[in-house]
Amino acid sequence: MNHNFKKITVLTGQYGAGKTNLAVNLAFEMCRYGKVTVTDLDIVNPYFRTSDFTEIFEKKNIKLISPVYANTNLDIPVLDFDMRFETENTDFHIVDVGGDDSGAFVLGRYNDVFSTYKDATDMLYVFNVYRSPDFSVNNIIENIKEIENASRLRCTGLVNNSNLGNETDTDVIKNTLGYADKISELSGLPVLFTCKSNTDKKISENDFPVKIMVSPPWNFT
Amino acid sequence: MNKVLMKGNEALAEAAIRAGCKCFFGYPITPQTEVAAYFAKNMAKRGGVFLQAESEIAAINMVLGASSAGVRAMTSSSSPGISLKSEGISYIAGSDLPCVIVNVQRGGPGLGGIQPSQSDYNQAVKAPGHGDFHLVVYAPASVQESVDMVFTAFDTADRYRIPTMILSDGLIGQMMEPVVFPEKTNDIPEKSWACDGHKNKRKHNIVTSLFLEPDKLEKSVLQRNEKYKLISNNCADCETYLCDDAHIVITAYGATARIARSAVNEARKQGIKAGLFRPKTLWPFPENELRNSCKNAGHILCAEMSAGQMVNDIKLYTNCSVPVSFYGRTGGVIPEPEELLREIIKLSEGRQ
């Protein structure tokens, strides 16, 4: 794929849209072009977070920044790192945010940094149309606005991460392209990637193959 | 497209709304919070009431009130929060009120931890509160089953005027799986006993668990026990997997049953005749089916995310006719399929 990555990539989106999985996959991709830092800014959900991938990041020389008490029993949102310093000292800074507006709220704290890097920041909205029980495009448009308001940032692009977990196949993703176009039309934002897992077939012009990083605990390792 | 991808907790809430739940009262606690958050976002839009109570105790008593008025009501919490609710649960049972209570279990005792656990089996099945009473307890092992059991739990609750519980755990609650919601709209039965306004057209109804005369209280307890016999005959449910010729039967429920199933499959590949008995209701316990599943078994292995709770019921219901071993992890540690396989191999080699 072409490298169009900006210095900062903020990943926001629906709760459970697959931001963390995308963050890890993006980090692996960006690695090819420079130094990558991933900041786990999810202070909403204590489970399935980028901090779970410490080992694999170390292997790939990706710097991981986590909330102080991530992966412990203490559910306290303490963030003690310097966003400006970390951004200055890396080529690509991926910021993995918690879901929905409640997760995006924390971004406001770093507004000064995002202002400095205004033209070098992408804020991607990650969606999975299968996460919405009524498949309502309007709910997604509303969700984008809520996130923009909470974060004090504007989204610059969309990521179609529509999937049905381990039941994902080519058709499962293909069936969402129409929804993605509609969301793009209503929001005025381009679909930058269509993530695809479990399939090698070409689905769209901007396919981004992703590896599913979390396997269920009943799988033999 | 009718399949969606949901977290177990979200699916519980969506299923409840579709099953006609009109009132949800709760208080946040990890790993259950998505249940309440989902109601908070959706209930008002869909003609129901969501209220974050000032405490778990307040929430369960709001359920008592709503249910008295004849509407489908629900509360949810995780382990420590269920302990707080226990007085109210007993009052609801003593008042013969239907409702659904969700427990997304986490590690205990005390404040414990936020990782998955199954250490509230005894609480759910033996003593969810003071007094002679039972809850019907459903134990989902997948997100789909979380949905299906919510519908069943509301129907059972109304049919028998009894509180029911969905005993989930932090793993089933937090994981995402594809799920389909049933199209059916539940027929909610007429509730002639409800305190919903007599408008001077009938005698007023009373919902209470207070009986000052001992013989009247005894009568109400005995009547309720007759109901429990009926429920025991009608509601016990289980899944059996490769039990017919099994020499070793694993008994497990909820998330642990998923892990046990993998271990059974691997054991079969290695030529060990293993099977899985999974109770879907923990009370009433599918005891006849358990005995039937173990008819060729030389050994039972009970696996739980606890220090050993259901294992005592397994011994009881099999009358100790088959030796029963136990394997458990606690504190929020999820057993790996390798660990269960190792136990199966040990038993098959006659080592214990």
Side-chain angles (χ1 to χ4, degrees), chain A residues 16-177:
Chain A
K19 291 174 292 297
T20 295
N21 202 66
L22 178 68
V24 178
N25 279 277
L26 271 180
F28 293 171
E29 179 65 23
M30 288 177 182
C31 264
R32 296 164 53 190
Y33 309 106
K35 182 170 163 42
V36 179
T37 300
V38 177
T39 294
D40 175 357
L41 211 56
D42 188 344
I43 54 166
V44 180
N45 179 10
Y47 310 100
F48 309 136
R49 51 192 311 152
T50 31
S51 309
D52 295 340
F53 303 100
T54 314
E55 255 175 65
I56 189 156
F57 279 178
E58 262 169 30
K59 263 187 219 153
K60 293 198 174 244
N61 213 12
I62 295 168
K63 183 169 180 184
L64 174 69
I65 299 165
S66 311
V68 181
Y69 297 109
N71 293 340
T72 72
N73 267 330
L74 203 52
D75 196 358
I76 293 178
V78 178
L79 304 162
D80 73 338
F81 67 98
D82 184 335
M83 177 75 87
R84 184 175 297 277
F85 175 85
E86 299 298 345
T87 304
E88 273 165 12
N89 288 285
T90 192
D91 297 318
F92 303 105
H93 193 175
I94 299 172
V95 182
D96 181 22
V97 187
D100 292 343
D101 46 335
S102 48
F105 196 70
V106 64
L107 290 167
R109 171 176 161 182
Y110 304 106
N111 201 263
D112 58 324
V113 183
F114 296 124
S115 303
T116 308
Y117 291 97
K118 198 170 187 314
D119 298 326
T121 300
D122 260 331
M123 179 158 94
L124 307 185
Y125 177 84
V126 185
F127 65 88
N128 174 355
V129 300
Y130 295 102
R131 288 284 294 137
S132 186
D134 48 3
F135 295 99
S136 156
V137 168
N138 286 337
N139 279 355
I140 291 179
I141 299 296
E142 201 179 304
N143 193 233
I144 295 175
K145 284 183 194 146
E146 286 167 354
I147 286 173
E148 287 184 334
N149 288 340
S151 65
R152 295 196 269 150
L153 293 169
R154 291 281 159 265
C155 290
T156 56
L158 302 170
V159 177
N160 181 4
N161 190 41
S162 295
N163 72 86
L164 274 175
N166 57 10
E167 291 183 26
T168 309
D169 60 24
T170 311
D171 284 342
V172 162
I173 304 171
K174 259 191 185 158
N175 289 340
T176 67
L177 295 179

Side-chain angles (χ1 to χ4, degrees), chain B residues 211-278:
Chain B
F211 297 88
L212 293 179
E213 288 121 24
D215 56 330
K216 284 193 179 155
L217 177 55
E218 183 183 48
K219 197 178 151 204
S220 93
V221 171
L222 293 178
Q223 274 175 351
R224 197 168 301 114
N225 269 278
E226 286 305 308
K227 190 163 74 178
Y228 291 152
K229 280 181 203 156
L230 205 62
I231 294 170
S232 296
N233 288 332
N234 296 344
C235 298
D237 196 8
C238 68
E239 180 200 17
T240 58
Y241 180 64
L242 306 177
C243 284
D244 282 348
D245 65 341
H247 292 166
I248 296 166
V249 172
I250 302 196
T251 58
Y253 70 96
T256 308
R258 300 282 286 267
I259 299 159
R261 197 184 173 96
S262 295
V264 164
N265 285 336
E266 191 56 36
R268 285 271 169 178
K269 274 187 210 157
Q270 299 187 16
I272 302 168
K273 284 185 175 168
L276 169 67
F277 174 82
R278 174 172 78 89

